[in-house]
Amino acid sequence: MAIRQRLFDLLGGIAVALVVATSAISQEVTLKLHQFLPAQANVPKLILDVWADKVETASSERIKIDHYPSMQLGGAPPELIDQAIDGVADIIWTVVGYTPGRFQTTEVFELPFMVNDAREASCAYWKMFEEHMEDGEFASVKILGTWVHGPGMFHTSDPVSSPGDLQGMKIRGGSQLVNELLKLAGATPVGMPVPAIPESLSKGVIDGATIPWEVTQALKIPELVENHTEFEGPALYTLTFVLAMNKEKFASLPADLQKVIEDNSGLNFSIFAGGTMADADGPSREIAVDSGNNIMQVTDTSEWEMLVRPVYDTWIAKMGEKGKDGQALINQAQTLMDGDCKGVDAKI
């Protein structure tokens, strides 16, 4: 009897262990993804939803990602990064510059005429994030992707082909560094998140905006202004983005689900995201062309580049105040974009 009882106890223990193991293996997780653009815009449609689908499929549907566009979970776009840190949302996508000066190292990719190619810059951004930012400025959040958009440019009510044309104009600046450029040109920079641009243009609050082509379609910019200014060569500016996750939520996942998220994030995803945004410029530009709008191309950027030199000097000085070598960061970014990251591409 004692042997039989021990056998029953052993079998019972095995059964309990199997139930526990099966429960752990089949654990399902729902993650809330929050961001500021409407669902039909390019980034949600071509990047975030694609990423979420990949994660769900790779997890055998054990991870479910609920996507909340247009700030549906509440708050304003500048609050998104803190929503990820505080757990209001599990994952967020945001413009880093919505919190100026807080993640200042990322601004090396926002300097005027710094970036030639979004894929190369997004690659360099991830590599520099891992070296300089992961355990520093972004230590309180789990970063899943880092990227930049295609060339930033002017979309204005009146034509802009030289810095003097901006005199007296109220322009939505894409970042703190772009705002400095606008001030140097005699314009009045107006800060606002992207979703506020259409209403501000229609009501005359601003005379123009700095954004890349790709988002103009969702915002219907070619219907609101008739002039668009492109720059040949390096972009007038780019903005930096992050896809970020609450650290505690990530840590709470089973190891195999953590691996699913890790496998679908990082360097390749960042290159894919930056490249996808840049590729979306063309179709959006065609809408302005089909509308008969005036598209100007600045082929000689020397006057503009002389104008923005103080932006570099100011940024390097501010980084120095934080104990960081701004010029070394610029040199590293340029070396990566011209070297290891040159000609990169990635699919997910």
Side-chain angles (χ1 to χ4, degrees), residues 7-243:
L7 181 59
F8 284 157
D9 291 344
L10 178 60
L11 291 173
I14 292 172
V16 169
L18 287 172
V19 168
V20 171
T22 301
S23 175
I25 291 171
S26 63
Q27 179 176 347
E28 295 184 358
V29 178
T30 298
L31 302 174
K32 295 177 291 186
L33 168 59
H34 199 205
Q35 54 88 20
F36 59 89
L37 285 179
Q40 70 274 16
N42 286 318
V43 170
K45 181 174 60 177
L46 303 178
I47 299 173
L48 302 180
D49 287 346
V50 172
W51 177 84
D53 288 346
K54 293 280 289 184
V55 168
E56 289 179 347
T57 300
S59 71
S60 299
E61 311 302 328
R62 289 168 54 212
I63 295 177
K64 183 176 184 293
I65 298 178
D66 289 341
H67 187 167
Y68 295 89
S70 302
M71 301 304 300
Q72 288 179 354
L73 292 179
E79 299 171 34
L80 280 165
I81 192 69
D82 285 316
Q83 289 186 355
I85 292 170
D86 299 337
V88 174
D90 300 310
I91 303 170
I92 61 92
W93 170 70
T94 192
V95 177
V96 179
Y98 282 168
T99 52
R102 187 169 169 186
F103 307 99
Q104 212 161 1
T105 307
T106 69
E107 292 175 351
V108 69
F109 296 102
E110 298 185 351
L111 290 163
F113 302 105
M114 179 72 176
V115 170
N116 274 292
D117 180 271
R119 287 178 172 85
E120 295 168 358
S122 299
C123 166
Y125 181 9
W126 179 264
K127 289 177 180 289
M128 292 181 66
F129 156 74
E130 288 187 308
E131 181 176 346
H132 300 290
M133 308 171 221
E134 185 171 16
D135 298 322
E137 293 161 325
F138 287 110
S140 57
V141 69
K142 171 74 175 175
I143 298 296
L144 305 177
T146 61
W147 68 91
V148 306
H149 58 54
M153 51 182 289
F154 292 112
H155 307 267
T156 51
S157 54
D158 294 325
V160 172
S161 58
S162 67
D165 295 329
L166 289 169
Q167 286 280 336
M169 296 180 73
K170 294 172 291 183
I171 305 292
R172 182 265 180 182
S175 70
Q176 185 173 352
L177 302 185
V178 175
N179 287 345
E180 292 178 27
L181 179 157
L182 293 170
K183 288 179 184 177
L184 290 169
T188 300
V190 180
M192 65 180 65
V194 164
I197 293 174
E199 183 177 5
S200 297
L201 282 172
S202 65
K203 291 184 176 181
V205 175
I206 55 176
D207 303 305
T210 54
I211 47 176
W213 275 118
E214 66 86 17
V215 76
T216 59
Q217 179 177 359
L219 301 179
K220 301 187 184 302
I221 298 301
E223 299 175 19
L224 297 167
V225 298
E226 296 181 355
N227 299 284
H228 314 272
T229 307
E230 300 175 327
F231 291 79
E232 188 176 279
L236 173 68
Y237 78 96
T238 58
L239 292 187
T240 55
F241 305 96
V242 290
L243 184 68

